[in-house]
Amino acid sequence: MAEVPYHAHIQERNCLVEVEGVAQPAPAPRFSRTLDAIQNPPQRPGQDAEAVLGDWGFSAQEQQALRAAGAVL
């Protein structure tokens, strides 16, 4: 996947944009009278892990164990 941003087709069509150092798909479809700006920065790995694991019923101790084991960022 590391080569995707450098592919000639991707570069010619401006399919990717970089936001806060993270390459991500550009908004699509593109219309002539519609702004195509990215509204929010990309999520970081593990950014919402605590909330998600809590929603799934994992206790704080279980979450800590998962982090210690390297299963969760």
Side-chain angles (χ1 to χ4, degrees):
M1 294 300 291
E3 67 272 9
V4 169
Y6 307 106
H7 190 278
H9 179 80
I10 299 298
Q11 288 184 339
E12 182 67 28
R13 296 190 44 83
N14 295 319
C15 293
L16 295 177
V17 295
E18 191 171 308
V19 177
E20 295 187 13
V22 178
Q24 56 187 1
R30 295 181 208 149
F31 301 107
S32 61
R33 294 179 293 179
T34 305
L35 296 176
D36 63 351
I38 302 277
Q39 301 297 320
N40 300 311
Q43 294 283 82
R44 299 288 178 202
Q47 181 174 334
D48 295 327
E50 187 175 303
V52 170
L53 291 171
D55 287 347
W56 289 344
F58 287 89
S59 69
Q61 294 80 16
E62 290 170 319
Q63 292 179 37
Q64 197 171 29
L66 288 169
R67 279 192 176 79
V72 175
L73 296 176

